[in-house]
Amino acid sequence: MAVLGGCTVQGPDGEQQSPVRIELPSGTPSPKSAPPDDKPSAPAAPAAPAVLWKPGDKGRDIRELQARLRQIAWLFDGPTGVYDDLTERAVRGFQGKRGLPKTGRTDRVTWERLLKMTREPGRWDLYLMGGQPADAPDARCLTGRVLCVSKESRTLRWMVDGRTELTVPVRFGSEYTPTREGVFSVYWKSRHHVSTLYDSPMPYAMFFSGGQAVHYSSDFAARGYAGASHGCVNVADEPAIREIFARVRTGDKVVVHW
């Protein structure tokens, strides 16, 4: 038994009594020396993978994401370069099919899984439906009124005295029906033209070389560069070709170049 002392008490007659004794069980630990709780702590939750892209994001990386989703039939539109509702839905479906959290956002785990299942997209996979930047205009386009058509960037510039007023993506003929290159002029305009050779509509046609013309193509608008023309310069943007058609005059120059 442990004994604590040092205090004395006075009796009723003024007689001193024995010191007060307080008995404690031996070996009782103080609160500071109490053993720690033996229960194991819960493991920390794993950190969520970093989100690379999410709805509303834009740019070349989004084009690649969309092009890769197209390769495995999770997306059928685009690429547009905009993380839109269709892209979010495609990502969510891809994630669910592979047991990943269906967030609709592209995190690092989702992206790495997609990379393993697809190939590196080429330039025209990324710009299947247009949207590509135009290259520099040919020197022959820098004077006068010109439809300046680049086969390298697949674009058409409407230019006046060296100034670009409108730019649109265009599509050309296949290797069997190539679009002619060189300097030409618009010799005929036909707003509601229909091809007598292929029995297909050619709205806003501006003929520059035989039966070859710059015109609107609903097939280009629907299929992009997955298709080809019969030699004409196809435009998929109907409001743009309507405006170009209104501005171009018979006799204006057409330059088709690489």
Side-chain angles (χ1 to χ4, degrees), residues 70-93:
R70 282 180 58 88
Q71 289 178 28
I72 53 176
W74 276 107
L75 189 66
F76 298 96
D77 290 37
T80 63
V82 178
Y83 206 124
D84 54 14
D85 293 344
L86 292 176
T87 305
E88 182 181 8
R89 191 181 312 157
V91 170
R92 188 182 296 114

Side-chain angles (χ1 to χ4, degrees), residues 97-258:
K97 183 73 172 180
R98 280 143 194 89
L100 302 174
K102 296 191 293 182
T103 64
R105 296 173 295 177
T106 304
D107 56 43
R108 188 164 296 281
V109 173
T110 300
W111 179 239
E112 289 175 355
R113 184 70 62 86
L114 184 59
L115 287 178
K116 291 178 181 178
M117 298 179 62
T118 54
R119 59 173 174 79
E120 181 76 18
R123 181 183 184 189
W124 300 115
D125 295 320
L126 297 176
Y127 295 101
L128 181 66
M129 305 304 294
Q132 69 274 17
D135 58 4
D138 186 276
R140 294 168 293 181
C141 299
L142 300 180
T143 57
R145 299 164 54 85
V146 191
L147 288 168
C148 188
V149 182
S150 169
K151 284 190 170 183
E152 177 65 28
S153 64
R154 300 185 182 181
T155 55
L156 178 151
R157 294 172 182 260
W158 166 240
M159 304 183 66
V160 178
D161 297 330
R163 182 182 69 255
T164 299
E165 298 191 352
L166 282 169
T167 303
V168 291
V170 291
R171 188 178 71 171
F172 306 103
S174 68
E175 62 179 312
Y176 305 106
T177 55
T179 303
R180 303 180 189 100
E181 299 156 24
V183 180
F184 311 92
S185 63
V186 175
Y187 70 88
W188 182 36
K189 294 173 61 180
S190 179
R191 165 65 182 83
H192 300 288
H193 194 78
V194 176
S195 171
T196 55
L197 183 60
Y198 300 104
D199 192 29
S200 58
M202 297 172 56
Y204 308 103
M206 294 168 280
F207 288 88
F208 62 88
S209 178
Q212 295 190 356
V214 176
H215 68 84
Y216 172 74
S217 168
S218 58
D219 182 76
F220 184 24
R223 300 174 60 204
Y225 293 113
S229 77
H230 293 104
C232 289
V233 177
N234 289 165
V235 178
D237 186 335
E238 188 170 7
I241 189 63
R242 184 188 307 125
E243 185 169 353
I244 292 171
F245 184 85
R247 296 189 188 189
V248 170
R249 305 167 187 164
T250 301
D252 285 347
K253 187 163 54 173
V254 180
V255 177
V256 182
H257 69 91
W258 279 99

Side-chain angles (χ1 to χ4, degrees), residues 46-81:
V51 173
L52 302 178
W53 308 294
K54 61 187 184 304
D57 288 346
K58 301 178 182 181
R60 190 267 181 202
D61 289 340
I62 308 305
R63 286 187 179 276
E64 181 172 348
L65 168 66
Q66 293 167 331
R68 288 181 183 273
L69 287 168
R70 282 180 58 88
Q71 289 178 28
I72 53 176
W74 276 107
L75 189 66
F76 298 96
D77 290 37
T80 63

Side-chain angles (χ1 to χ4, degrees), residues 20-53:
V20 176
R21 297 173 181 270
I22 303 173
E23 297 181 357
L24 296 173
S26 62
T28 301
S30 66
K32 291 184 179 180
S33 61
D37 189 355
D38 291 334
K39 294 181 181 178
S41 58
V51 173
L52 302 178
W53 308 294

